[in-house]
mmCIF file of all heavy atoms in Angstrom:
data_model
loop_
_atom_site.group_PDB
_atom_site.id
_atom_site.type_symbol
_atom_site.label_atom_id
_atom_site.label_comp_id
_atom_site.label_asym_id
_atom_site.label_seq_id
_atom_site.Cartn_x
_atom_site.Cartn_y
_atom_site.Cartn_z
ATOM 1 N N THR A 183 7.427 11.033 -2.813
ATOM 2 C CA THR A 183 6.412 11.005 -1.746
ATOM 3 C C THR A 183 5.275 10.059 -2.120
ATOM 4 O O THR A 183 4.809 9.277 -1.286
ATOM 5 C CB THR A 183 5.862 12.426 -1.527
ATOM 6 O OG1 THR A 183 6.956 13.278 -1.189
ATOM 7 C CG2 THR A 183 4.843 12.465 -0.415
ATOM 8 N N LYS A 186 6.425 6.483 -1.699
ATOM 9 C CA LYS A 186 6.507 6.108 -0.281
ATOM 10 C C LYS A 186 5.097 5.972 0.307
ATOM 11 O O LYS A 186 4.855 5.116 1.152
ATOM 12 C CB LYS A 186 7.303 7.159 0.489
ATOM 13 C CG LYS A 186 8.794 7.089 0.235
ATOM 14 C CD LYS A 186 9.502 8.201 0.975
ATOM 15 C CE LYS A 186 10.934 8.345 0.503
ATOM 16 N NZ LYS A 186 11.598 9.515 1.072
ATOM 17 N N ALA A 187 4.185 6.831 -0.163
ATOM 18 C CA ALA A 187 2.795 6.736 0.308
ATOM 19 C C ALA A 187 2.186 5.398 -0.118
ATOM 20 O O ALA A 187 1.434 4.772 0.641
ATOM 21 C CB ALA A 187 1.978 7.893 -0.237
ATOM 22 N N ARG A 189 3.871 2.593 -0.600
ATOM 23 C CA ARG A 189 4.469 1.547 0.243
ATOM 24 C C ARG A 189 3.873 1.600 1.646
ATOM 25 O O ARG A 189 3.553 0.563 2.244
ATOM 26 C CB ARG A 189 5.982 1.736 0.313
ATOM 27 C CG ARG A 189 6.677 1.353 -0.964
ATOM 28 C CD ARG A 189 8.091 1.869 -0.997
ATOM 29 N NE ARG A 189 8.902 1.334 0.072
ATOM 30 C CZ ARG A 189 9.950 1.983 0.609
ATOM 31 N NH1 ARG A 189 10.282 3.169 0.171
ATOM 32 N NH2 ARG A 189 10.649 1.431 1.567
ATOM 33 N N ALA A 190 3.691 2.800 2.150
ATOM 34 C CA ALA A 190 3.139 2.956 3.501
ATOM 35 C C ALA A 190 1.713 2.402 3.560
ATOM 36 O O ALA A 190 1.345 1.710 4.513
ATOM 37 C CB ALA A 190 3.159 4.429 3.900
ATOM 38 N N MET A 193 1.722 -1.281 3.656
ATOM 39 C CA MET A 193 2.147 -1.802 4.965
ATOM 40 C C MET A 193 1.023 -1.717 5.998
ATOM 41 O O MET A 193 0.805 -2.645 6.756
ATOM 42 C CB MET A 193 3.318 -0.953 5.503
ATOM 43 C CG MET A 193 4.656 -1.274 4.920
ATOM 44 S SD MET A 193 5.847 -0.078 5.600
ATOM 45 C CE MET A 193 6.696 0.374 4.121
ATOM 46 N N ASN A 194 0.341 -0.574 6.023
ATOM 47 C CA ASN A 194 -0.625 -0.351 7.094
ATOM 48 C C ASN A 194 -1.632 0.725 6.657
ATOM 49 O O ASN A 194 -1.395 1.920 6.873
ATOM 50 C CB ASN A 194 0.139 0.089 8.353
ATOM 51 C CG ASN A 194 -0.740 0.140 9.575
ATOM 52 O OD1 ASN A 194 -1.943 0.316 9.475
ATOM 53 N ND2 ASN A 194 -0.135 -0.009 10.730
ATOM 54 N N LEU A 196 -4.524 1.696 7.780
ATOM 55 C CA LEU A 196 -5.111 2.535 8.840
ATOM 56 C C LEU A 196 -4.140 3.636 9.255
ATOM 57 O O LEU A 196 -4.504 4.813 9.343
ATOM 58 C CB LEU A 196 -5.477 1.658 10.041
ATOM 59 C CG LEU A 196 -6.204 2.357 11.174
ATOM 60 C CD1 LEU A 196 -7.261 1.440 11.782
ATOM 61 C CD2 LEU A 196 -5.258 2.828 12.273
ATOM 62 N N LEU A 197 -2.896 3.245 9.463
ATOM 63 C CA LEU A 197 -1.886 4.231 9.857
ATOM 64 C C LEU A 197 -1.662 5.240 8.728
ATOM 65 O O LEU A 197 -1.437 6.427 8.982
ATOM 66 C CB LEU A 197 -0.572 3.519 10.213
ATOM 67 C CG LEU A 197 0.522 4.394 10.805
ATOM 68 C CD1 LEU A 197 0.077 5.024 12.110
ATOM 69 C CD2 LEU A 197 1.799 3.596 11.028
ATOM 70 N N ALA A 198 -1.760 4.747 7.486
ATOM 71 C CA ALA A 198 -1.600 5.650 6.343
ATOM 72 C C ALA A 198 -2.667 6.740 6.390
ATOM 73 O O ALA A 198 -2.382 7.917 6.161
ATOM 74 C CB ALA A 198 -1.706 4.856 5.037
ATOM 75 N N ARG A 199 -3.892 6.345 6.718
ATOM 76 C CA ARG A 199 -4.988 7.325 6.759
ATOM 77 C C ARG A 199 -4.743 8.384 7.819
ATOM 78 O O ARG A 199 -4.931 9.574 7.580
ATOM 79 C CB ARG A 199 -6.329 6.617 7.008
ATOM 80 C CG ARG A 199 -6.792 5.840 5.789
ATOM 81 C CD ARG A 199 -7.922 4.898 6.129
ATOM 82 N NE ARG A 199 -9.161 5.584 6.404
ATOM 83 C CZ ARG A 199 -10.226 5.006 6.933
ATOM 84 N NH1 ARG A 199 -10.191 3.727 7.239
ATOM 85 N NH2 ARG A 199 -11.312 5.692 7.155
ATOM 86 N N VAL A 200 -4.290 7.943 9.017
ATOM 87 C CA VAL A 200 -4.090 8.945 10.075
ATOM 88 C C VAL A 200 -2.770 9.707 9.886
ATOM 89 O O VAL A 200 -2.485 10.626 10.650
ATOM 90 C CB VAL A 200 -4.178 8.332 11.498
ATOM 91 C CG1 VAL A 200 -5.545 7.761 11.757
ATOM 92 C CG2 VAL A 200 -3.102 7.298 11.739
ATOM 93 N N THR A 201 -2.003 9.304 8.873
ATOM 94 C CA THR A 201 -0.794 10.075 8.546
ATOM 95 C C THR A 201 -1.132 11.145 7.504
ATOM 96 O O THR A 201 -0.298 11.966 7.158
ATOM 97 C CB THR A 201 0.302 9.117 8.013
ATOM 98 O OG1 THR A 201 0.531 8.123 9.005
ATOM 99 C CG2 THR A 201 1.625 9.806 7.755
ATOM 100 N N GLY A 202 -2.364 11.101 7.003
ATOM 101 C CA GLY A 202 -2.792 12.109 6.034
ATOM 102 C C GLY A 202 -2.785 11.610 4.605
ATOM 103 O O GLY A 202 -2.986 12.394 3.671
ATOM 104 N N ILE A 203 -2.543 10.306 4.425
ATOM 105 C CA ILE A 203 -2.513 9.754 3.068
ATOM 106 C C ILE A 203 -3.945 9.450 2.606
ATOM 107 O O ILE A 203 -4.700 8.788 3.333
ATOM 108 C CB ILE A 203 -1.654 8.466 3.017
ATOM 109 C CG1 ILE A 203 -0.198 8.804 3.375
ATOM 110 C CG2 ILE A 203 -1.734 7.800 1.657
ATOM 111 C CD1 ILE A 203 0.686 7.591 3.598
ATOM 112 N N ASP A 204 -4.285 9.919 1.428
ATOM 113 C CA ASP A 204 -5.593 9.621 0.844
ATOM 114 C C ASP A 204 -5.508 8.208 0.261
ATOM 115 O O ASP A 204 -5.026 8.015 -0.862
ATOM 116 C CB ASP A 204 -5.916 10.656 -0.234
ATOM 117 C CG ASP A 204 -7.302 10.450 -0.828
ATOM 118 O OD1 ASP A 204 -7.930 9.413 -0.531
ATOM 119 O OD2 ASP A 204 -7.749 11.311 -1.598
ATOM 120 N N LYS A 305 8.140 -9.473 3.527
ATOM 121 C CA LYS A 305 8.383 -9.037 4.896
ATOM 122 C C LYS A 305 7.101 -9.266 5.673
ATOM 123 O O LYS A 305 6.014 -9.183 5.109
ATOM 124 C CB LYS A 305 8.750 -7.559 4.909
ATOM 125 C CG LYS A 305 10.126 -7.354 4.309
ATOM 126 C CD LYS A 305 10.493 -5.920 4.268
ATOM 127 C CE LYS A 305 11.891 -5.792 3.691
ATOM 128 N NZ LYS A 305 12.146 -4.475 3.164
ATOM 129 N N GLN A 308 2.357 -5.878 8.863
ATOM 130 C CA GLN A 308 2.133 -5.197 10.147
ATOM 131 C C GLN A 308 0.746 -5.537 10.646
ATOM 132 O O GLN A 308 -0.147 -5.739 9.877
ATOM 133 C CB GLN A 308 2.246 -3.688 9.966
ATOM 134 C CG GLN A 308 3.683 -3.234 9.839
ATOM 135 C CD GLN A 308 3.806 -1.722 9.990
ATOM 136 O OE1 GLN A 308 3.152 -1.135 10.820
ATOM 137 N NE2 GLN A 308 4.646 -1.128 9.215
ATOM 138 N N GLY B 53 -12.127 9.440 12.733
ATOM 139 C CA GLY B 53 -12.730 9.067 11.450
ATOM 140 C C GLY B 53 -12.454 7.633 11.047
ATOM 141 O O GLY B 53 -12.606 7.280 9.886
ATOM 142 N N LEU B 54 -12.053 6.801 12.015
ATOM 143 C CA LEU B 54 -11.701 5.416 11.685
ATOM 144 C C LEU B 54 -12.813 4.425 12.021
ATOM 145 O O LEU B 54 -12.741 3.266 11.640
ATOM 146 C CB LEU B 54 -10.417 5.012 12.432
ATOM 147 C CG LEU B 54 -9.178 5.841 12.076
ATOM 148 C CD1 LEU B 54 -8.029 5.505 13.014
ATOM 149 C CD2 LEU B 54 -8.771 5.618 10.637
ATOM 150 N N HIS B 75 -8.062 10.981 6.566
ATOM 151 C CA HIS B 75 -6.830 11.613 6.079
ATOM 152 C C HIS B 75 -6.910 13.133 6.069
ATOM 153 O O HIS B 75 -5.892 13.811 6.084
ATOM 154 C CB HIS B 75 -6.445 11.065 4.697
ATOM 155 C CG HIS B 75 -7.334 11.517 3.585
ATOM 156 N ND1 HIS B 75 -8.544 10.945 3.299
ATOM 157 C CD2 HIS B 75 -7.176 12.513 2.681
ATOM 158 C CE1 HIS B 75 -9.085 11.543 2.260
ATOM 159 N NE2 HIS B 75 -8.278 12.501 1.874
ATOM 160 N N VAL B 78 -6.106 15.097 9.651
ATOM 161 C CA VAL B 78 -4.724 15.480 9.939
ATOM 162 C C VAL B 78 -4.511 16.931 9.510
ATOM 163 O O VAL B 78 -3.892 17.716 10.225
ATOM 164 C CB VAL B 78 -3.750 14.550 9.181
ATOM 165 C CG1 VAL B 78 -2.320 14.819 9.586
ATOM 166 C CG2 VAL B 78 -4.093 13.091 9.436
ATOM 167 N N PHE B 84 -3.397 11.404 15.584
ATOM 168 C CA PHE B 84 -3.828 10.158 16.235
ATOM 169 C C PHE B 84 -2.677 9.163 16.240
ATOM 170 O O PHE B 84 -2.039 8.930 15.205
ATOM 171 C CB PHE B 84 -5.032 9.575 15.486
ATOM 172 C CG PHE B 84 -5.510 8.257 16.044
ATOM 173 C CD1 PHE B 84 -6.051 8.181 17.313
ATOM 174 C CD2 PHE B 84 -5.410 7.084 15.297
ATOM 175 C CE1 PHE B 84 -6.489 6.964 17.838
ATOM 176 C CE2 PHE B 84 -5.844 5.870 15.812
ATOM 177 C CZ PHE B 84 -6.384 5.805 17.084
ATOM 178 N N GLU B 89 1.038 -1.248 15.941
ATOM 179 C CA GLU B 89 1.339 -1.020 14.520
ATOM 180 C C GLU B 89 1.253 0.464 14.195
ATOM 181 O O GLU B 89 0.579 0.880 13.253
ATOM 182 C CB GLU B 89 0.378 -1.825 13.647
ATOM 183 C CG GLU B 89 0.501 -3.313 13.888
ATOM 184 C CD GLU B 89 -0.588 -4.115 13.221
ATOM 185 O OE1 GLU B 89 -1.438 -3.535 12.543
ATOM 186 O OE2 GLU B 89 -0.577 -5.342 13.389
ATOM 187 N N ASN B 90 1.936 1.260 15.010
ATOM 188 C CA ASN B 90 1.785 2.710 14.882
ATOM 189 C C ASN B 90 2.963 3.391 14.172
ATOM 190 O O ASN B 90 3.062 4.616 14.195
ATOM 191 C CB ASN B 90 1.530 3.341 16.252
ATOM 192 C CG ASN B 90 2.495 2.843 17.297
ATOM 193 O OD1 ASN B 90 3.561 2.345 16.942
ATOM 194 N ND2 ASN B 90 2.144 2.968 18.553
ATOM 195 N N VAL B 91 3.845 2.576 13.576
ATOM 196 C CA VAL B 91 4.891 3.135 12.702
ATOM 197 C C VAL B 91 4.938 2.287 11.431
ATOM 198 O O VAL B 91 4.485 1.146 11.421
ATOM 199 C CB VAL B 91 6.292 3.130 13.377
ATOM 200 C CG1 VAL B 91 6.316 4.027 14.599
ATOM 201 C CG2 VAL B 91 6.741 1.722 13.736
ATOM 202 N N PHE B 92 5.505 2.853 10.369
ATOM 203 C CA PHE B 92 5.688 2.081 9.136
ATOM 204 C C PHE B 92 7.021 1.344 9.255
ATOM 205 O O PHE B 92 8.087 1.927 9.060
ATOM 206 C CB PHE B 92 5.670 3.004 7.916
ATOM 207 C CG PHE B 92 4.361 3.705 7.726
ATOM 208 C CD1 PHE B 92 4.260 5.082 7.881
ATOM 209 C CD2 PHE B 92 3.217 2.995 7.408
ATOM 210 C CE1 PHE B 92 3.054 5.731 7.726
ATOM 211 C CE2 PHE B 92 1.996 3.634 7.248
ATOM 212 C CZ PHE B 92 1.910 5.008 7.406
ATOM 213 N N ALA B 93 6.915 0.053 9.611
ATOM 214 C CA ALA B 93 8.108 -0.709 9.990
ATOM 215 C C ALA B 93 9.151 -0.805 8.880
ATOM 216 O O ALA B 93 10.341 -0.836 9.164
ATOM 217 C CB ALA B 93 7.689 -2.104 10.440
ATOM 218 N N ASP B 94 8.701 -0.843 7.618
ATOM 219 C CA ASP B 94 9.654 -0.997 6.515
ATOM 220 C C ASP B 94 10.144 0.331 5.947
ATOM 221 O O ASP B 94 10.813 0.354 4.918
ATOM 222 C CB ASP B 94 9.029 -1.834 5.388
ATOM 223 C CG ASP B 94 8.864 -3.285 5.811
ATOM 224 O OD1 ASP B 94 9.556 -3.688 6.757
ATOM 225 O OD2 ASP B 94 8.042 -3.984 5.212
ATOM 226 N N LEU B 95 9.773 1.422 6.580
ATOM 227 C CA LEU B 95 10.323 2.720 6.183
ATOM 228 C C LEU B 95 11.319 3.152 7.260
ATOM 229 O O LEU B 95 11.176 2.769 8.427
ATOM 230 C CB LEU B 95 9.227 3.773 6.060
ATOM 231 C CG LEU B 95 8.180 3.610 4.956
ATOM 232 C CD1 LEU B 95 7.247 4.826 4.953
ATOM 233 C CD2 LEU B 95 8.819 3.469 3.592
ATOM 234 N N ASP B 99 11.972 8.557 6.998
ATOM 235 C CA ASP B 99 10.850 8.485 6.051
ATOM 236 C C ASP B 99 9.502 8.492 6.769
ATOM 237 O O ASP B 99 8.526 9.054 6.264
ATOM 238 C CB ASP B 99 10.962 7.221 5.187
ATOM 239 C CG ASP B 99 11.900 7.430 4.007
ATOM 240 O OD1 ASP B 99 12.260 8.590 3.740
ATOM 241 O OD2 ASP B 99 12.294 6.434 3.367
ATOM 242 N N LEU B 103 7.298 11.596 5.510
ATOM 243 C CA LEU B 103 6.112 11.284 4.712
ATOM 244 C C LEU B 103 4.946 12.211 5.064
ATOM 245 O O LEU B 103 4.341 12.827 4.181
ATOM 246 C CB LEU B 103 5.722 9.816 4.937
ATOM 247 C CG LEU B 103 4.660 9.243 4.024
ATOM 248 C CD1 LEU B 103 5.045 9.399 2.564
ATOM 249 C CD2 LEU B 103 4.425 7.773 4.327
ATOM 250 N N ALA B 104 4.664 12.312 6.376
ATOM 251 C CA ALA B 104 3.540 13.152 6.798
ATOM 252 C C ALA B 104 3.784 14.606 6.435
ATOM 253 O O ALA B 104 2.877 15.301 5.965
ATOM 254 C CB ALA B 104 3.343 13.001 8.304
ATOM 255 N N ALA B 106 5.688 15.776 4.010
ATOM 256 C CA ALA B 106 5.642 15.949 2.556
ATOM 257 C C ALA B 106 4.206 15.939 2.050
ATOM 258 O O ALA B 106 3.846 16.734 1.177
ATOM 259 C CB ALA B 106 6.444 14.840 1.889
ATOM 260 N N ILE B 107 3.384 15.045 2.605
ATOM 261 C CA ILE B 107 2.000 14.946 2.138
ATOM 262 C C ILE B 107 1.241 16.240 2.451
ATOM 263 O O ILE B 107 0.458 16.725 1.644
ATOM 264 C CB ILE B 107 1.313 13.717 2.774
ATOM 265 C CG1 ILE B 107 1.818 12.469 2.065
ATOM 266 C CG2 ILE B 107 -0.207 13.795 2.658
ATOM 267 C CD1 ILE B 107 1.518 11.208 2.783
ATOM 268 N N ARG B 149 5.693 11.018 14.821
ATOM 269 C CA ARG B 149 5.046 10.998 13.509
ATOM 270 C C ARG B 149 3.736 11.791 13.539
ATOM 271 O O ARG B 149 3.410 12.528 12.610
ATOM 272 C CB ARG B 149 4.764 9.545 13.090
ATOM 273 C CG ARG B 149 4.180 9.373 11.719
ATOM 274 C CD ARG B 149 3.486 8.033 11.582
ATOM 275 N NE ARG B 149 2.551 7.754 12.659
ATOM 276 C CZ ARG B 149 1.367 8.333 12.796
ATOM 277 N NH1 ARG B 149 0.950 9.228 11.915
ATOM 278 N NH2 ARG B 149 0.569 8.051 13.810
#
Side-chain angles (χ1 to χ4, degrees):
Chain A
T183 302
K186 285 177 193 173
R189 287 166 61 208
M193 280 176 226
N194 189 334
L196 185 143
L197 187 61
R199 288 167 71 192
V200 297
T201 303
I203 297 170
D204 183 351
K305 290 178 179 159
Q308 284 194 40
Chain B
L54 298 171
H75 72 279
V78 187
F84 177 66
E89 299 170 1
N90 48 21
V91 296
F92 297 113
D94 290 340
L95 294 184
D99 277 348
L103 190 56
I107 284 165
R149 184 201 50 74

